[in-house]
Amino acid sequence: MTKIKNILLLLVALLVSACSVTKNLPEGELLYIGQKPMLIQGNDSLGDVGTLALEEVTAALATAPNNALLGSSSVRIPFPIGLWIYNAYAKSEKGLGKWIFNHFAADPVFMSTVNPGIRTQAAKNILRDYGYFRGSVSYEVIPHKTDSLQARLQYKVNMDQPYFIDTVYYKGFTPRTMSIFERARSHSSLLSGTQFNINDLNAERTRLSNLLRNVGDFYFRPDYITYQADTTRVPGGGHVSLRVVPVEGLPTAAQKPFVVGSTTVNFVGAKGEAPNDSTTYRGVKINYYDKVPVRPNMLYRWLDYNNYRMKRRMDDSTGISSSAPRTRYSLQRQTRIQERLANLGIFRYQEMQYVPRDSALVNDTLDVIMNMMMDKPYSVTADFNVKLKSNNQMGPGASFGITRNNVFGAGESLSLSLTGSYEWQTGKHSSSDMNSYELGINADLTFPRVVFPRIGDREYDFPATTTFSLYAKQLVHPKYYHMRAFGGSATYEFQPTSKYKHSLTPLKLTYNTTSDHTNEFWEIYFKNPGLYASLENQFIPQMSYTLTFDDSKVSGIRHTKWWQITFASAGNVTSAIYKLAGKDWGESGKKFLGSPFAQFLKLNTEFRYHYVLNDDMTLAMRATGGFIWAYGNSTYAPFTELFYVGGANSVRAWPARRIGPGANKLDEDNRLFFMHMGDMRLEANIEFRFRLFADLHGAIFLDAGNVWNLRNRENAEDQQFRFKNLLKQTALGTGLGLRYDLDFLVFRLDLGLGLHAPYETGKSGYFNLPKWNDAMTLHFAIGYPF
């Protein structure tokens, strides 16, 4: 055996020695094999600006060599197979050798293509952009110890001390413009004592331009502003005196305020037909083909006329009604109108033009011309696929939906959808007893505004919608029971800023009913009487509020955060009515329309943080938790409101609903899956995501979490949440994953491996799983887990 092993090692050594990575390099070229650690000076006390500057310098200098590990500039995979094939078959002109070369060879990364000279100059320019005027960047080529045709690079960055802004003043603009700039100086990012950097200069250009355009200066642009920097004016050095001046040859009209005149809206036909008729509503002329596609009063509101704060009569001879409202041009108002029209989702396209009354720009009036085409009135979606869901069930699913857009001529949409699916359990703990099917129908009517209660005729400056929903669905577990749910809701959504979104549901009424209980179901009931209490027929009169924070769409933010918190209350308004009738608030037995109703308070929150290491690597983190407290009619919360962990988007080492509450042991009888739900959930996840190649990505993850009961149930003390047992009763799992990311769709495959089970396994110590496959689960899913 030893002899055979030695022969194999010898053959491998001979093969490796015969493979060269430099045999066919062009004359005078060096093979670039990566970077040595960068030498940095002057980075002892970097602030936010300096840290960002160093990050950009590092990115500008970074170049991945052949067979780099995860795109690293310094770490390589030890077997450069692509280079071996390149050098072995580079001269093959036909046959198998040519085919192997075309399909498997990797082009060498030459030192000349890395071009460190240009990269160091680019890095130096970045340092200057961030105020490091005395900074320097150099490089050294370090040959390989045994092969002179291979070499590494080592960059040396000396940041030195940055320059800070001393004074900022404006010069060369008209007195009106100077006055506007001075009044808004407190909002400037160019303040005395801040570090000089090009990002702040560009932001200030944009701010000043928007400032002028919001008070009528339609023709002003950010590139009409330039800077004059003086580093010698302040004794001692290290400071910059900035003068903000107009560019040479600034057009006179750029600093002239304009007002908005007439508004004309042109609706072309569905096939591009030109308008053949017109009407006028409160000064707005509407040209249309055959019939007006939207209600004129709503179009008037969308164009912001009810929000005018300055109106005056026109006194020119243009033929426009003297009562037509006028206001100064405002970029903010233009953007608000365009966003509002886009958010309606009823236009195939819409453009907004401001046209001067005369080409010489003597007249101060801009007429508005809007060209629009309505989108198709109906949209249909149909889907049929095979799903492997996070609850470890798989099977065919189908859905069909139809939406009528602009149903009442004011941007409303009416949607009707039908869904159906059949599922069967997969994996180690599968059982035919878990097979089920589901049917559902949903109807949603959405208004792009607040419709009740009506709050005046003004439109919000931000998106606001009202949605009324009705639904009915049936879930059938043939071995156990049938569950039917009927309900409806009214929901208001507001997004006052790009980061914050509010969702208020003042009324959501659901009626859950179960029937056709089997003998198997009653067997489970006798083992866990609380199960039936959570599945009993009942109304759930609920109201809820959700706040969502999301900065992923804000420009300039590299590491994004997402946070959502939802508070829900059920039965309290109904109980208040009973209270007025003389019944105690917490008294049981209260009914609504002849059936008991649920009473509970529920809080759920989730926080996500994505730390972007570079374009190919991200560290994604999530923490989530929640609780529900049932009282009054029943101390058991409705089954549909309880928490669970496990599955493709949770603790991935276990299937959904397979652990908890607390130290409850993973049951061998699949029918008891009902029991693995609780009143409280705590969960945390961390995932390192990296690109493998092209659209294929990999992931390494760590998940932790469990559910607990808040009350001490009979014979279930180890299921109640106790802080002292938190670590012991928190499931921990790790795993590997693959993602195929098509931008619009992500296919995900995750293999979860358990490290610590919250229940007794018979093995001592923290890592208490006797075998790997005791907690090993494979998940296929669509989309990222968080």
Side-chain angles (χ1 to χ4, degrees):
M1 188 67 182
T2 303
K3 185 179 294 186
I4 295 175
K5 185 182 296 184
N6 291 336
I7 292 172
L8 291 175
L9 291 174
L10 179 61
L11 289 174
V12 171
L14 289 173
L15 178 62
V16 172
S17 64
C19 296
S20 171
V21 294
T22 58
K23 182 171 64 175
N24 285 311
L25 290 185
E27 185 70 25
E29 286 287 1
L30 284 177
L31 180 67
Y32 169 73
I33 57 173
Q35 294 179 205
K36 291 182 70 66
M38 190 164 56
L39 302 177
I40 306 173
Q41 295 178 334
N43 63 329
D44 297 332
S45 57
L46 294 180
D48 292 339
V49 175
T51 301
L52 183 59
L54 188 55
E55 286 180 358
E56 292 197 19
V57 166
T58 302
L61 297 176
T63 309
N66 289 104
N67 57 289
L69 178 63
L70 304 178
S72 171
S73 299
S74 55
V75 182
R76 304 170 68 202
I77 298 173
F79 303 106
I81 297 175
L83 282 179
W84 289 344
I85 294 175
Y86 175 90
N87 284 278
Y89 295 98
K91 296 182 179 180
S92 299
E93 297 181 355
K94 58 182 179 179
L96 180 61
K98 185 66 174 177
W99 183 86
I100 293 175
F101 181 84
N102 290 337
H103 287 81
F104 300 104
D107 293 331
V109 179
F110 301 130
M111 189 66 70
S112 62
T113 58
V114 176
N115 208 332
I118 290 181
R119 290 182 179 275
T120 53
Q121 185 58 49
K124 185 176 180 180
N125 292 338
I126 292 173
L127 289 179
R128 291 181 60 83
D129 287 345
Y130 285 93
Y132 295 92
F133 297 125
R134 294 176 293 206
S136 62
V137 183
S138 60
Y139 70 93
E140 180 183 0
V141 178
I142 303 176
H144 193 274
K145 293 180 180 180
T146 60
D147 188 348
S148 61
L149 294 180
Q150 301 182 51
R152 291 181 178 270
L153 284 172
Q154 185 169 50
Y155 292 101
K156 299 178 181 178
V157 178
N158 182 7
M159 303 186 71
D160 210 319
Q161 294 299 314
Y163 276 67
F164 294 86
I165 295 175
D166 180 68
T167 56
V168 180
Y169 59 98
Y170 312 104
K171 187 176 182 180
F173 297 96
T174 65
R176 171 181 170 272
T177 299
M178 296 279 284
S179 175
I180 293 171
F181 287 171
E182 289 292 346
R183 287 201 304 270
R185 180 185 284 272
S186 60
H187 299 286
S188 173
S189 58
L190 301 181
L191 302 175
S192 178
T194 59
Q195 185 172 332
F196 176 94
N197 74 89
I198 197 70
N199 290 336
D200 285 349
L201 267 60
N202 291 333
E204 182 68 1
R205 277 197 187 97
T206 302
R207 186 188 73 87
L208 294 176
S209 174
N210 291 346
L211 190 64
L212 293 178
R213 297 194 72 194
N214 284 332
V215 292
D217 295 10
F218 175 77
Y219 289 100
F220 204 92
R221 298 293 182 269
D223 52 9
Y224 287 165
I225 296 174
T226 189
Y227 297 96
Q228 296 174 350
D230 189 350
T231 59
T232 63
R233 185 170 178 176
V234 181
H239 289 81
V240 179
S241 179
L242 280 179
R243 182 187 298 129
V244 185
V245 297
V247 297
E248 187 176 353
L250 176 68
T252 304
Q255 297 182 86
K256 176 181 178 179
F258 285 79
V259 295
V260 178
S262 65
T263 299
T264 302
V265 181
N266 299 316
F267 286 105
V268 299
K271 298 181 180 179
E273 300 93 341
N276 58 9
D277 205 345
S278 65
T279 187
T280 300
Y281 180 82
R282 298 179 69 176
V284 177
K285 186 176 181 181
I286 305 172
N287 300 320
Y288 56 90
Y289 178 77
D290 283 353
K291 66 176 183 179
V292 183
V294 298
R295 285 161 37 193
N297 67 316
M298 290 306 304
L299 181 63
Y300 187 86
R301 290 174 61 175
W302 295 336
L303 297 183
D304 211 33
Y305 281 103
N306 285 329
N307 289 355
Y308 277 5
R309 287 180 293 180
M310 183 183 73
K311 299 181 180 181
R312 61 187 177 91
R313 295 177 179 273
M314 299 177 61
D315 56 3
D316 54 25
S317 57
T318 60
I320 301 173
S321 170
S322 61
S323 62
R326 299 182 75 214
T327 187
R328 280 186 178 177
Y329 166 80
S330 167
L331 174 64
Q332 183 179 20
R333 175 175 173 267
Q334 176 187 348
T335 303
R336 183 170 64 233
I337 293 173
Q338 290 176 318
E339 290 178 347
R340 180 179 298 150
L341 294 175
N343 288 333
L344 292 172
I346 62 174
F347 300 108
R348 185 174 302 180
Y349 75 83
Q350 52 94 7
E351 62 176 359
M352 192 174 190
Q353 302 174 353
Y354 287 83
V355 181
R357 288 281 173 87
D358 66 274
S359 58
L361 302 180
V362 175
N363 194 302
D364 69 345
T365 303
L366 301 171
D367 292 328
V368 180
I369 298 178
M370 303 195 68
N371 298 311
M372 300 183 179
M373 175 184 282
M374 302 299 295
D375 207 346
K376 295 179 180 179
Y378 289 95
S379 59
V380 178
T381 59
D383 183 32
F384 179 82
N385 53 31
V386 176
K387 303 176 182 179
L388 179 58
K389 294 186 175 181
S390 61
N391 60 3
N392 211 41
Q393 303 235 149
M394 69 173 298
S399 64
F400 175 81
I402 183 170
T403 300
R404 175 64 166 90
N405 299 310
N406 198 35
V407 62
F408 302 131
E412 307 89 350
S413 64
L414 177 62
S415 301
L416 181 68
S417 62
L418 302 172
T419 59
S421 64
Y422 179 79
E423 300 178 340
W424 61 83
Q425 187 77 243
T426 65
K428 175 184 176 183
H429 304 284
S430 62
S431 168
S432 62
D433 289 354
M434 296 301 299
N435 296 354
S436 65
Y437 65 86
E438 184 175 359
L439 299 172
I441 182 171
N442 299 277
D444 299 304
L445 178 60
T446 300
F447 296 81
R449 58 192 180 277
V450 175
V451 295
F452 181 81
R454 186 171 178 176
I455 307 175
D457 291 330
R458 295 183 57 175
E459 292 294 304
Y460 287 107
D461 289 343
F462 47 82
T465 62
T466 306
T467 301
F468 299 103
S469 301
L470 293 174
Y471 73 90
K473 62 181 179 180
Q474 175 174 259
L475 174 64
V476 178
H477 280 282
K479 291 285 185 178
Y480 303 104
Y481 64 88
H482 293 191
M483 174 181 282
R484 300 175 182 87
F486 311 92
S489 65
T491 301
Y492 302 93
E493 292 189 348
F494 309 88
Q495 188 163 0
T497 70
S498 59
K499 293 183 181 181
Y500 291 94
K501 181 179 180 180
H502 305 267
S503 179
L504 176 64
T505 302
L507 175 62
K508 180 181 180 182
L509 183 61
T510 303
Y511 180 67
N512 289 339
T513 177
T514 57
S515 61
D516 302 306
H517 302 113
T518 65
N519 292 332
E520 287 85 350
F521 176 87
W522 292 116
E523 289 179 15
I524 299 174
Y525 163 73
F526 288 117
K527 294 181 181 179
N528 181 22
L531 170 64
Y532 185 75
S534 67
L535 286 170
E536 68 176 343
N537 299 346
Q538 61 182 319
F539 279 99
I540 308 177
Q542 186 176 168
M543 60 178 62
S544 64
Y545 167 74
T546 299
L547 171 66
T548 304
F549 172 88
D550 184 2
D551 63 5
S552 61
K553 296 181 180 179
V554 180
S555 61
I557 294 183
R558 182 176 175 83
H559 311 301
T560 60
K561 296 176 290 296
W562 184 94
W563 176 67
Q564 185 177 84
I565 183 169
T566 299
F567 174 76
S569 171
N572 289 319
V573 173
T574 312
S575 293
I577 297 174
Y578 269 85
K579 181 69 174 177
L580 294 175
K583 288 198 173 185
D584 185 71
W585 185 275
E587 183 180 342
S588 62
K590 300 187 292 292
K591 294 184 177 182
F592 177 73
L593 299 179
S595 294
F597 60 86
Q599 288 181 262
F600 61 78
L601 297 175
K602 187 175 183 180
L603 181 69
N604 198 25
T605 187
E606 181 176 345
F607 178 78
R608 304 174 188 171
Y609 181 65
H610 288 183
Y611 185 85
V612 180
L613 300 170
N614 55 44
D615 291 340
D616 296 322
M617 292 185 286
T618 300
L619 193 63
M621 292 164 276
R622 175 177 69 171
T624 182
F627 73 87
I628 183 169
W629 182 259
Y631 59 94
N633 271 353
S634 175
T635 58
Y636 290 91
F639 181 77
T640 54
E641 298 290 338
L642 294 173
F643 297 100
Y644 66 90
V645 295
N649 299 325
S650 183
V651 184
R652 283 162 279 188
W654 284 269
R657 300 182 181 89
R658 297 300 298 173
I659 50 176
N664 186 30
K665 182 174 175 56
L666 182 69
D667 57 77
E668 299 300 329
D669 185 351
N670 283 284
R671 298 177 304 173
L672 298 186
F673 85 103
F674 301 109
M675 298 173 62
H676 297 284
M677 302 177 72
D679 305 325
M680 175 181 173
R681 176 184 62 167
L682 292 176
E683 185 180 333
N685 315 81
I686 184 168
E687 182 171 283
F688 175 54
R689 301 169 182 170
F690 50 87
R691 184 189 302 274
L692 294 174
F693 56 85
D695 294 327
L696 186 64
H697 300 249
I700 303 172
F701 54 83
L702 187 70
D703 304 321
N706 202 350
V707 294
W708 291 267
N709 290 326
L710 292 178
R711 287 183 169 91
N712 185 7
R713 305 295 185 186
E714 185 179 356
N715 299 321
E717 293 184 5
D718 59 351
Q719 299 178 19
Q720 185 181 15
F721 178 77
R722 303 287 187 186
F723 187 79
K724 64 180 181 179
N725 296 328
L726 178 61
L727 181 62
K728 181 181 179 181
Q729 293 183 356
T730 298
L732 181 68
T734 186
L736 304 171
L738 290 174
R739 291 95 167 85
Y740 190 63
D741 192 342
L742 299 175
D743 289 334
F744 63 91
L745 189 66
V746 177
F747 296 97
R748 175 164 57 95
L749 187 67
D750 285 335
L751 176 64
L753 303 172
L755 298 177
H756 172 75
Y759 47 82
E760 181 61 43
T761 65
K763 181 180 178 181
S764 60
Y766 182 76
F767 301 100
N768 62 348
L769 288 163
K771 300 177 182 178
W772 279 107
N773 62 357
D774 285 348
M776 178 186 296
T777 308
L778 185 66
H779 303 279
F780 175 74
I782 304 296
Y784 286 102
F786 51 88

